[in-house]
Amino acid sequence: MSAIASNQVRPTMSSTPVSPQAARFSTNSLFFVCGLLFATWGVHVPTVKALYALSDAGLSWLMLSAGVGALLGLSQVGQMVARYGTRPVIWATGIGMCISLAVLLFAPGYPALLAVLFVYGLCNGSFDVAMNAEAVAVEHAYRRPIMSSFHGFFSLGGFAGALAGSMTAAMGIAPWLHLAGSAVGGFVVIAVASRWMLPPEATHSPEEAGRTWSLPKGIILLIGVMGALGMVGEGAMYDWSTLYMRDELHSTQQIAALGYGAFSVAMALARFGGDWVRARLGSSEALRLSAWVAAAAMTLTLVLGLHWTTLLGFAVVGLGFANVVPVLFSAAARVPGVTPAKGIAGVSAVGYVGFMMGPPVIGAIAHRFSLSSALFIVALFAMAVALLTRRAMAQVGEEPGAEAVGLPQMSQD
């Protein structure tokens, strides 16, 4: 059993002392609200398409605008965190995220809509890196792995956002009101949670602030490629699992929807257990084992092609993919000579490019052959992550510890 050490740090924007437990609660809240706002946008993609009478091509340009904004944010956020720490970046980008969602359905035309989505992508990408940098510092203060649980709260937020969207639609609440309510609620959570964030010295690095951004290379590039492989696999399950069961296995819509649910619920639950596994096996073995589980489960699922084995298989794939991104982000923050925020930003940039390329590649293979054939990519990419793990993890620093953070630490009995 662990207990908090008696010494505490006083934050710069609050008179309340900060303990690792309070900082963890704050970071959990940030991950939750990020997942909720992301799901809120996802729920209303059809709303935007219908309201602005967009074609599939027009909608794809909106997605591209958000993607370009995210990549721009990822290229700059490492310097911002190095200069100012995570708190101001969370504040600024969180406000930008909330405002862009609140005005999403009030854009006067398509060009303005492109601008709104660009701002949303810019702020979302930057917010994501800043909260992960905060999470790394809190993990160091705990002196044990807790990164996966943060990502578990992101999954919970996504579930809450999707559930709220479904309920408001069933109740006949106007979409703009749902978006505005989510934006206001998100802002309140960010404002309250930021009071218990770590002080600036825990996350900023003034000596790194003046360095210009450069393309990821070396170990950051390798971890980024692994992240891209994992994100493509994870994204393929979200995008194609229901369609696979409906079109390839001829399942009913109700059964097909359970495939998506099995994967997403298993992934969320596994993230809350991932830290326990990582603490006992180490990051390298936990990541390698997880990737092999995902590869084996996806292969068997596609080979067997039965309804009940597919539902079970998709759940096991979720268990395998659940901790790939959390472990890789934690590893990126421990690369020697690179600040945590810049490491995470570099890995995120490479991963995001791969994530955007995944759907069209899988779609093209499915069009040429079959969706079953295309989804073997998920197994192949998981296998590639497993094979690259030892090479990548051998080049990063030690497992989470508190020595470099200068914060109250969790004492070990």
Side-chain angles (χ1 to χ4, degrees):
M1 197 73 179
S2 297
I4 298 283
S6 60
N7 56 314
Q8 295 178 318
V9 175
R10 192 173 298 275
T12 57
M13 293 178 62
S14 170
S15 59
T16 306
V18 172
S19 69
Q21 285 182 327
R24 184 177 186 179
F25 177 82
S26 167
T27 309
N28 285 338
S29 301
L30 295 175
F31 272 81
F32 180 88
V33 78
C34 187
L36 185 145
L37 294 178
F38 185 77
T40 301
W41 151 240
V43 164
H44 285 291
V45 168
T47 306
V48 170
K49 184 179 181 182
L51 180 64
Y52 292 94
L54 300 177
S55 64
D56 289 341
L59 185 63
S60 67
W61 280 105
L62 282 184
M63 302 294 189
L64 180 62
S65 181
V68 171
L71 287 175
L72 178 61
L74 292 172
S75 71
Q76 301 300 318
V77 67
Q79 288 177 274
M80 290 191 292
V81 171
R83 185 181 300 275
Y84 304 112
T86 53
R87 191 197 306 261
V89 178
I90 288 288
W91 257 102
T93 58
I95 291 172
M97 258 199 317
C98 293
I99 291 176
S100 58
L101 281 181
V103 304
L104 183 62
L105 302 184
F106 295 98
Y110 188 66
L113 189 60
L114 286 170
V116 169
L117 265 297
F118 176 85
V119 171
Y120 172 77
L122 175 73
C123 294
N124 179 260
S126 302
F127 187 95
D128 188 274
V129 170
M131 74 177 182
N132 272 284
E134 179 80 3
V136 167
V138 176
E139 184 177 58
H140 274 272
Y142 265 75
R143 302 179 64 184
R144 59 183 171 85
I146 58 172
M147 178 65 86
S148 292
S149 66
F150 291 132
H151 286 258
F153 275 93
F154 179 90
S155 297
L156 283 182
F159 177 78
L163 181 62
S166 176
M167 291 178 62
T168 54
M171 295 168 63
I173 296 174
W176 73 265
L177 194 57
H178 173 226
L179 284 163
S182 298
V184 171
F187 171 77
V188 171
V189 172
I190 292 169
V192 173
S194 66
R195 292 175 59 84
W196 287 280
M197 289 177 67
L198 301 176
E201 57 267 24
T203 52
H204 79 164
S205 180
E207 66 275 10
E208 294 286 332
R211 297 187 182 181
T212 58
W213 183 81
S214 59
L215 291 173
K217 57 186 178 181
I219 182 59
I220 293 295
L221 178 60
L222 176 59
I223 297 175
V225 169
M226 293 171 65
L229 295 172
M231 289 178 188
V232 169
E234 181 181 336
M237 296 301 297
Y238 282 123
D239 293 338
W240 300 101
S241 57
T242 299
L243 192 63
Y244 167 77
M245 293 197 69
R246 191 188 68 190
D247 292 356
E248 301 288 315
L249 303 185
H250 307 293
S251 304
T252 64
Q253 183 61 34
Q254 291 84 352
I255 296 297
L258 291 177
Y260 175 93
F263 173 79
S264 56
V265 170
M267 171 169 277
L269 293 175
R271 282 180 165 168
F272 287 105
D275 296 319
W276 183 88
V277 174
R278 187 174 156 211
R280 281 150 183 79
L281 299 181
S283 295
S284 180
E285 286 305 303
L287 177 57
R288 199 168 65 90
L289 178 61
S290 296
W292 280 122
V293 166
M298 194 65 189
T299 300
L300 287 174
T301 297
L302 295 173
V303 169
L304 293 174
L306 302 173
H307 296 283
W308 70 271
T309 56
T310 298
L311 291 175
L312 178 61
F314 282 177
V316 178
V317 173
L319 294 177
F321 273 120
N323 295 296
V324 171
V325 171
V327 171
L328 290 176
F329 275 14
S330 182
R334 305 197 309 273
V335 173
V338 180
T339 63
K342 286 191 175 182
I344 294 169
V347 167
S348 297
V350 178
Y352 198 81
V353 170
F355 185 76
M356 289 193 296
M357 291 175 60
V361 170
I362 291 175
I365 296 174
H367 179 74
R368 178 66 178 84
F369 299 100
S370 68
L371 184 54
S372 297
S373 300
L375 287 178
F376 272 105
I377 285 180
V378 175
L380 291 174
F381 282 8
M383 192 181 303
V385 171
L387 294 173
L388 291 171
T389 294
R390 284 180 174 170
R391 177 181 175 186
M393 301 303 284
Q395 301 180 58
V396 302
E398 296 180 357
E399 293 290 327
E403 293 76 13
V405 182
L407 295 170
Q409 302 173 8
M410 299 290 293
S411 62
Q412 306 293 320
D413 292 341

